[in-house]
Amino acid sequence: MSQVTMTVNGKTASGDVEGRTLLSQFLRENLKLTGTHVGCDTSQCGACVVHVDGKAVKSCTMLAAEADGATVDTIEGQAEADGSLNTIQQAFQDHHGLQCGFCTPGMVMSTAALLKDNPKPTEAEIRDYLEGNICRCTGYHNIVKSIMAASGQDVGSIAAE
Amino acid sequence: MYNFDYEKPSTVADAVAALGDEDAQALGGGQTLIPTLKQRLASPTTLVSLSGISEMQGITDEGGSITIGGATVHADVASNGAIAALSDLAGNIGDPAVRNRGTIGGSLANNDPSACYPSAALGLGATIVTNTREIAADDYFQGMFSTALDEGEIITAVKVPKPEAANYQKFEQPASRFALVGVFVAKTSGGVRVAVTGASEEGVFRWSEAEAALNGNFSADALEGMAPDADGMIADLHGTSAYRAHLVGVMTRRAVAACS
Ligand SMILES: Cc1cc2nc3c(=O)[nH]c(=O)nc-3n(C[C@H](O)[C@H](O)[C@H](O)COP(=O)(O)OP(=O)(O)OC[C@H]3O[C@@H](n4cnc5c(N)ncnc54)[C@H](O)[C@@H]3O)c2cc1C
Ligand code: FES
Ligand code: FES
């Protein structure tokens, strides 16, 4: 066991981990931040996406020890200070960008990373960016719509397929 | 996953020392190694992270060539642009989260028969720089998952000469996002090089018949009707060996057309 310390959603968090402890495990089991979901555990589905030093990563495929000293942002830190939904979350709600909600934490974190680099992505850029985020419910259409809306763009142009 | 100790040295020398123990293994971005450990296909006693070694990070442009640190992530190569075909290739590996962790050194050390980077290294005639020596790409790749690296040897950098023109065409396997077949074509001062990944049971290879034809006439027409022998091509549920051989011809013609 060794100790790791990171800044998670703006607060300092420490814990004892084994070499093999995954970042997803540390967040969920040590810090009880269970909003980060583990769907596949094989780096395919993206439900576990969090930001490490501002970059989207699959927390099921990163050791907790690798994030020692890093800044980590998870879905729990996305809402506004007063607890209301942030722009991306609100857009997902408004445009029905989720059904069961299992993929949603990863979708929201990937969207946040996309919009940081590319504030007004095209529909094609959105679909390309979400290649590593799998949703079994929505058929992606309303997710793309939500992201267009979150980036302040017209959603009317996205025809239902 | 079996448990292991974790070390994070800050210099190549310390990493080499830590890897001196035969049950120790290097950790790049972990995008291949962590899934392998989860399946208990490897059981190192110590993982030596290369992510804290600043001399293995980043890309420098030397005019006629670029040098990419062995621990540089795919996303950084994608955004660099000094060799457009290489950056495009890096920007289409896996998905954004994989590209934020996976490294060029890890990809070349692993030499997956369907990985993208081996075709770029071979196609561009890159040099693999390790803690002890420099290895020409032509001598480095030695068949599926097999390379010239010795036990504990670290890829510290990759030197890539700039081509006159180059292009990579990837026919993506949609579930894994690896290449079902990928072809890297480069027009270099030493002639045309065509490197093929995803297709052969021997891993990445140079398609010499296509190179000969293209040295005479650098156009897709020069390859009309050509495909490598289907013998020795991979056959699996995604495609037969004849299908893969055919795809090599198609993707090579597309890459050549995109070069000119
Ligand atoms: C969903 C998904 C999709 C992917 N799609 C693609 C794709 O389309 N194309 C593609 O090419 N790849 C793809 N990959 C693989 C990805 O590029 C990996 O990042 C890469 O193959 C391994 O790099 P790594 O840095 O993660 O290495 P690790 O997983 O950390 O290590 C892999 C091996 O290399 C060794 N190693 C690591 N670094 C070094 C070094 N500097 N020197 C010597 N040995 C070293 C390790 O000991 C280990 O044996 C994909 C991966 C995933 C999870
Ligand atoms: S749980 Fe990490 S990618 Fe699916
Ligand atoms: S909303 Fe159910 S998996 Fe996406």
Side-chain angles (χ1 to χ4, degrees):
Chain A
M1 288 280 199
S2 60
Q3 211 196 33
V4 294
T5 302
M6 38 192 116
T7 305
V8 180
N9 299 329
K11 294 194 209 93
T12 303
S14 300
D16 288 328
V17 298
E18 291 185 320
R20 63 179 165 185
T21 305
L22 299 166
L23 179 58
S24 53
Q25 232 175 323
F26 179 71
L27 292 170
R28 290 177 55 84
E29 293 169 21
N30 290 53
L31 305 184
K32 310 291 181 209
L33 294 173
T34 53
T36 296
H37 290 168
V38 177
C40 63
D41 208 21
T42 58
S43 54
Q44 302 293 322
C45 77
C48 65
V49 168
V50 302
H51 297 186
V52 175
D53 290 332
K55 307 269 189 207
V57 305
K58 291 178 173 172
S59 61
C60 76
T61 310
M62 178 168 182
L63 300 177
E66 285 276 275
D68 188 24
T71 297
V72 178
D73 293 293
T74 73
I75 189 69
E76 286 87 350
Q78 295 299 297
E80 304 295 346
D82 66 0
S84 62
L85 299 180
N86 77 3
T87 309
I88 296 170
Q89 293 170 312
Q90 189 61 53
F92 270 72
Q93 187 183 75
D94 292 345
H95 296 276
H96 217 81
L98 62 148
Q99 288 179 25
C100 78
F102 191 86
C103 69
T104 314
M107 290 289 178
V108 169
M109 296 312 289
S110 282
T111 302
L114 167 65
L115 298 186
K116 197 155 50 120
D117 290 346
N118 184 356
K120 295 245 181 283
T122 63
E123 180 182 347
E125 285 169 342
I126 293 170
R127 291 188 186 274
D128 187 54
Y129 197 88
L130 294 182
E131 205 169 5
N133 290 82
I134 292 174
C135 174
R136 294 302 301 270
C137 301
T138 63
Y140 302 97
H141 191 71
N142 287 351
I143 292 174
V144 176
K145 243 180 162 171
S146 306
I147 299 171
M148 289 297 266
S151 53
Q153 304 187 84
D154 180 17
V155 298
S157 64
I158 311 180
E161 275 152 35
Chain B
M1 230 186 312
Y2 297 110
N3 200 17
F4 45 78
D5 292 328
Y6 169 87
E7 287 185 31
K8 192 172 180 178
S10 54
T11 65
V12 171
D14 287 348
V16 169
L19 287 167
D21 174 351
E22 67 169 319
D23 292 324
Q25 189 170 359
L27 172 69
Q31 301 302 291
T32 295
L33 184 53
I34 291 175
T36 308
L37 293 172
K38 284 181 181 176
Q39 292 178 58
R40 296 190 167 178
L41 295 174
S43 51
T45 52
T46 306
L47 278 197
V48 181
S49 169
L50 305 176
S51 65
I53 304 175
S54 54
E55 58 192 298
M56 283 177 63
Q57 295 286 345
I59 301 163
T60 48
D61 193 330
E62 282 114 14
S65 64
I66 62 172
T67 299
I68 305 171
T72 305
V73 296
H74 307 331
D76 289 345
V77 176
S79 63
N80 177 266
I83 300 177
L86 184 66
S87 295
D88 286 349
L89 173 147
N92 282 307
I93 292 176
D95 57 60
V98 168
R99 297 196 286 274
N100 281 335
R101 296 292 303 160
T103 67
I104 188 168
S107 179
L108 294 175
N110 195 46
N111 192 19
D112 187 298
S114 301
C116 301
Y117 266 131
S119 71
L122 191 60
L124 291 164
T127 303
I128 317 299
V129 183
T130 75
N131 54 304
T132 56
R133 56 188 169 142
E134 298 200 349
I135 312 168
D138 284 311
D139 303 323
Y140 175 82
F141 299 103
Q142 302 192 342
M144 257 189 205
F145 298 110
S146 169
T147 70
L149 291 179
D150 291 328
E151 204 67 40
E153 193 171 359
I154 300 174
I155 299 177
T156 55
V158 184
K159 276 196 223 166
V160 192
K162 290 184 186 171
E164 289 164 23
N167 187 262
Y168 177 64
Q169 292 287 324
K170 175 182 183 182
F171 193 94
E172 198 171 284
Q173 204 277 79
S176 75
R177 297 188 280 278
F178 276 74
L180 185 61
V181 165
V183 179
F184 199 101
V185 171
K187 211 173 163 184
T188 73
S189 53
V192 177
R193 298 171 68 100
V194 177
V196 180
T197 188
S200 169
E201 287 174 344
E202 301 296 313
V204 67
F205 70 98
R206 281 175 69 183
W207 184 18
S208 43
E209 291 83 6
E211 292 180 355
L214 292 169
N215 276 323
N217 170 16
F218 192 77
S219 79
D221 294 343
L223 303 174
E224 198 49 53
M226 278 176 71
D229 197 337
D231 274 356
M233 293 287 150
I234 299 169
D236 57 20
L237 80 167
H238 307 298
T240 61
S241 46
Y243 177 71
R244 277 194 169 78
H246 175 74
L247 261 187
V248 173
V250 174
M251 300 320 274
T252 308
R253 283 190 287 278
R254 285 187 192 170
V256 172
C259 272
S260 33

